[in-house]
Amino acid sequence: MKKIVPIFIACSFLLVGCWDEQLYKEVSIVPLVGIERESEKFTGHYSFSVISNESISFSTVEGNGLSVRDTRLNANSKASETLDLSQLQVMLLTEETAKLNINQTFDAIFRTPRTRLSSRVAIVEGDITPYIEKTENMDIELPDFYKDILKTDIEFSVLPDIDIQNVAGIINDDAIDLALPFIKMDEKTGIPKISGLALFSDKAYTGRTLDKEESIIVQVLQKKPGKYSMFTYIWKKEGEPYPLTVELARYKKKWDIQDGKINATYKMKFNIEEFPYDHLDNEKNRKEIEGFLSKELTKDFNKVTKKLQEAKSDAVGFGRSVRAFHPRLWNKGNWHDTFSELEINVKVEAEISRTGILN
Amino acid sequence: MNFRLSRIQFFLLLFIMQSGSSFFSFPSPFITATGRDAWLIFLVAGVLHYLLLLFYERYYQRFTIGPFVGWLYKGYWLFIAVTYLAYIDYTLAVWGFPKTPQFIVLAALVSVSLYANLSRAETIINLSVILIPLIFIFVIFLQFAWDDLTWTNIFPIGESTEKEWLIGLLKAQVAFIGIELYLFFRKHVDVKEEIKGFPLFVYQMLWFSFFFFSVLITLLYFTLAGIQAIPEPLLYILKSQELTFVERIDLFFLYIWMIWSIVTVTILSFSALYVHRLHANEHQKRDTIIWHVLLVFLPLFFLSKKYIEILNDVVIYVHLLFSVLIPFIVIIGSRRKKK
């Protein structure tokens, strides 16, 4: 009897699998979803895997409904198997969808325990249909294509390294705004391409975007750059133009926040990646380049900050420091309004720390 | 029931009981009630916890109970076990086993306790040891969220009102549940082993660090609005981590929590049956089975969000009665009798 009881107990734990098992052969894995919303009507485009002749291809099914979950129910009836979002890699939203409170679009994703929170999110320009269909020019499947292009631009600091879970955190934070990857259709190739960042204010897309160069500046301002952050300028010497490409090595930021004013100083150390003029062994030349970089970067950083203020989008997160340590400024009113009216001065102090294997 | 405990066994028993019954359920309601000052309030709650431990250590020998108080404590632990089992069964249904009949999960959880409580006391005492590596793994995996923490989330400080402090100190009592076992099992600790002074302080710091960490990481990871939307922040943090070797790390820890719960329920049952046997030593096997049948069936009446919330609110006041008021009355009463 004493031996039977522990065996019975051990076996009872296996019972739970009887009711909650889900076999891969009974579901269609959906790695890519596109959501369109018009007022109270949602349309979901689900790209699901089809296995035939030992190879995987992707097919798309469309569903309509009153919510994101409802669209999946509707799409389920059109697909041969149940659509399963537990392996979701990328979620695309149209601009119109993002202009409405995106909390409602994400609710089903956050609430269901089976969904993957590390999936990426991006905003697409125009209709979603062309973005969810593979073109002949594309050599890899769409879900992998989006995953790869997003990953590359995250590495090169064009995009923030955020997933659905981070989106949830930022949506619920009144001291920082969301900035999501913005994807456009390349007119020449007909292939989607990342064009920069879509700026949000509070919980909705503002309709304003930043280009790739400006997007890098946002990541650097936030002090959350990717693996590489590069800047290229044309430096002129005696009327001759020389390209100058530098890579950000290390940097420190200091924000001096006063009532109605923020002075942000960034002390940056750069590696020279390309500079055909050479002569960097000469300290005078190095100082000249440092001065040039400081001036150009200061100008560009201020330009981006101004754009963010115009969009009332604090994508950098100045609000978090203000909320924590400057209650008087924080309590002035709605942070998005306060932020847009602040005097923000960004100063970049550049220093060349490495010149590469050539001087 | 005759058994001896080493100092480590005693503290481990106490720690598993205190953490197992509330660790996952503690941060969200506590921070929701207190706001950004939650970590400060928990510092004060930690001092109160230590004072209570010192009080217990000083007077535990005077805590001698009769059958009436014994029945009160048995009822209390039944209530705690039912509250806890209902909570974990509800959480498992939401996160892991939505389609599995809930009585099956309950029966599986309780059956281990039944087996252990039908065996010798040493089985239960040593059962807690299996959790030590699992708790370490759990804490280490939570560190993966390090990059997503926002340190400014804990500022500004001093915004909570007096009312919020009071509610916060009350809500913090959830982390104290199980502390009353000190009074029951302290006398079983080997007399050669010192508890008073430094060892007790070490236990206090261990308990404090564990719960303080859970409050701090939740505050740093989520915004206040986010915490209100998420009832299980620690599981959610684990779910959002992307690891190469496991897709759903939260499920892995849900199973760890399940083992944690099983051990906690086993200790609770052991405590109740220990008190029962102080005054009724006959039909031990029958009483053990009846107790466990109650543990399977009573939680089935409370498996909805509404009842879970009611039970979690009520448990604080019931705990205060049994960990502060009744011990105080019993100790004062014994002192008078002695005089």
Side-chain angles (χ1 to χ4, degrees), chain B residues 43 46 87 90 137 157 170 180 195-196 198 223 245 288 309 313 316 330:
Chain B
L43 279 171
Y87 175 71
Y90 173 82
I137 295 171
I157 54 170
L170 264 178
E180 68 284 348
I195 293 277
K196 205 175 173 181
F198 187 66
T223 58
F245 57 93
T288 306
E309 280 180 354
D313 285 341
I316 296 167
V330 171

Side-chain angles (χ1 to χ4, degrees), chain B residues 209-226:
Chain B
S209 310
F210 197 67
F211 279 97
F212 189 67
F213 172 72
S214 77
V215 171
L216 207 58
I217 199 165
T218 308
L219 263 178
L220 293 175
Y221 193 87
F222 296 99
T223 58
L224 292 181

